[in-house]
Amino acid sequence: FAGDPRFNFILLDKNVGKRKAQIVAIRRSSGDLVLNVDSDTTLASDVVAKLALKMQDPAVGAAMGQLVASNRGDTWLTRLIDMEYWLACNEERAAQARFGAVMCCCGPCAMYRRSALLLLLDQYETQLFRGKPSDFGEDRHLTILMLKAGLRTEYVPDAIAATIVPDRLGPYLRQQLRWARSTFRDTLLALRLLPSLDRYLTLDVVGQNLGPLLLALSVLAGLAQFVLTATVPWSAVVMIASMTIIRCSVSAFRARQLRFLGFSLHTFINVFLLLPLKAYALCTLS
């Protein structure tokens, strides 16, 4: 496409990170809408049209599409992540969108109103955390800036974007570490925003941050009981197993796909890997 006059490729002298590269492109753009797409993402042919249709409402500042794993069939992990993405999009984001406030428009496929972006770019570029320039969590922070500006953020489930997901635990855990730090840090920024949004969003944000903490306390209490009394904490085991089965069954019914029953395996990853990782993320936010 280099010779096509409709395209303008910007080559930077060095890797300055996603945030600064975004800002350079946005400032040199001219359209009413800006579409952010990650380099490992393939869009369905109608994604731009469907997102642009949602953006016809001037009160909407950003809209994201539904993410699926393009390499879903590669490993057991990619299959789990594909289901994780479906749940994140069609439960969490879909619920938030009913109140006009998707809390994070994901980077693989997110459309923004350029006029609003230009007003927010200085805040976006100069974001600091504990006195240091911020170099992660771009998508969540930009979404929160849109909400703080009084604009709605939306989810379009039939705008499908296929993205490559980690196929091994190491890269997956590194990705989750970045996301956990971003969630904790930007939740602090969103607290002052919550009173202006629907009360459901307060419940949602509190639940997302307290849920892992309460689960971690349950697991630690169970381990302490086992070590100190040599008895199995059956009440905790049964409760976690019951909640897992209920959630996966509801998801399988809503998606009309039995494969979501297999998402119960993700509970082991969550309890034994992601909970310790989130604790580490909380201790290393800087």
Side-chain angles (χ1 to χ4, degrees):
F1 294 95
D4 191 323
R6 297 173 299 173
F7 291 86
N8 178 23
F9 292 92
I10 303 169
L11 300 179
L12 303 177
D13 293 334
K14 60 180 180 179
N15 183 358
V16 295
K18 175 178 176 176
R19 185 179 307 231
K20 291 188 180 298
Q22 274 181 318
I23 290 169
V24 170
I26 291 166
R27 286 189 170 141
R28 289 177 58 175
S29 64
S30 59
D32 294 331
L33 304 173
V34 174
L35 179 64
N36 186 86
V37 184
D38 282 351
S39 59
D40 57 0
T41 301
T42 304
L43 302 181
S45 59
D46 57 357
V47 162
V48 174
K50 289 180 176 177
L51 291 178
L53 188 64
K54 179 68 71 173
M55 299 292 290
Q56 284 185 335
D57 184 347
V60 176
M64 65 166 283
Q66 180 177 177
L67 307 183
V68 300
S70 59
N71 57 334
R72 182 179 91 181
D74 286 1
T75 67
W76 63 270
L77 181 59
T78 58
R79 291 183 176 90
L80 285 180
I81 294 175
D82 181 68
M83 289 186 277
E84 186 179 14
Y85 278 18
W86 191 96
L87 294 168
C89 289
N90 295 294
E91 288 188 347
E92 179 188 317
R93 264 59 167 199
Q96 293 169 350
R98 290 185 67 88
F99 304 98
V102 173
M103 300 303 288
C104 178
C105 289
C106 298
C109 180
M111 183 174 280
Y112 298 95
R113 189 171 305 282
R114 181 172 170 271
S115 58
L117 278 178
L118 293 177
L119 296 175
L120 300 170
L121 278 188
D122 287 342
Q123 296 181 63
Y124 182 51
E125 186 172 19
T126 59
Q127 182 193 8
L128 300 176
F129 183 74
R130 298 185 67 179
K132 299 178 182 178
S134 183
D135 59 356
F136 62 90
E138 295 87 0
D139 307 324
R140 186 175 294 273
H141 184 60
L142 194 52
T143 305
I144 289 175
L145 288 179
M146 284 286 175
L147 292 171
K148 288 176 68 175
L151 295 167
R152 295 210 320 267
T153 53
E154 296 283 356
Y155 167 59
V156 183
D158 54 351
I160 307 297
T163 188
I164 298 173
V165 301
D167 57 2
R168 292 176 291 114
L169 272 176
Y172 174 68
L173 293 177
R174 286 195 294 273
Q175 177 195 66
Q176 293 297 308
L177 179 60
R178 292 196 310 273
W179 289 0
R181 285 176 176 148
S182 172
T183 300
F184 286 134
R185 187 197 60 194
D186 285 299
T187 294
L188 299 175
L189 298 175
L191 290 179
R192 285 174 291 182
L193 171 67
L194 290 176
S196 65
L197 303 176
D198 189 277
R199 284 177 291 180
Y200 166 79
L201 274 305
T202 301
L203 177 65
D204 181 66
V205 170
V206 170
Q208 282 195 51
N209 286 274
L210 284 186
L213 174 61
L214 295 174
L215 180 57
L217 290 175
S218 299
V219 172
L220 289 175
L223 289 174
Q225 176 183 325
F226 181 75
V227 170
L228 297 175
T229 67
T231 59
V232 177
W234 287 113
S235 58
V237 171
V238 170
M239 180 60 71
I240 292 173
S242 300
M243 294 177 70
T244 297
I245 293 170
I246 291 170
R247 186 187 181 195
C248 293
S249 299
V250 170
S251 300
F253 175 76
R254 290 190 64 243
R256 303 293 192 271
Q257 298 179 43
L258 286 176
R259 69 188 179 105
F260 278 88
L261 296 177
F263 192 68
S264 56
L265 295 175
H266 191 268
T267 296
F268 295 99
I269 296 177
N270 192 25
V271 169
F272 297 111
L273 294 177
L274 295 186
L275 285 182
L277 180 141
K278 288 177 180 178
Y280 177 72
L282 191 58
C283 296
T284 57
L285 285 181
S286 297

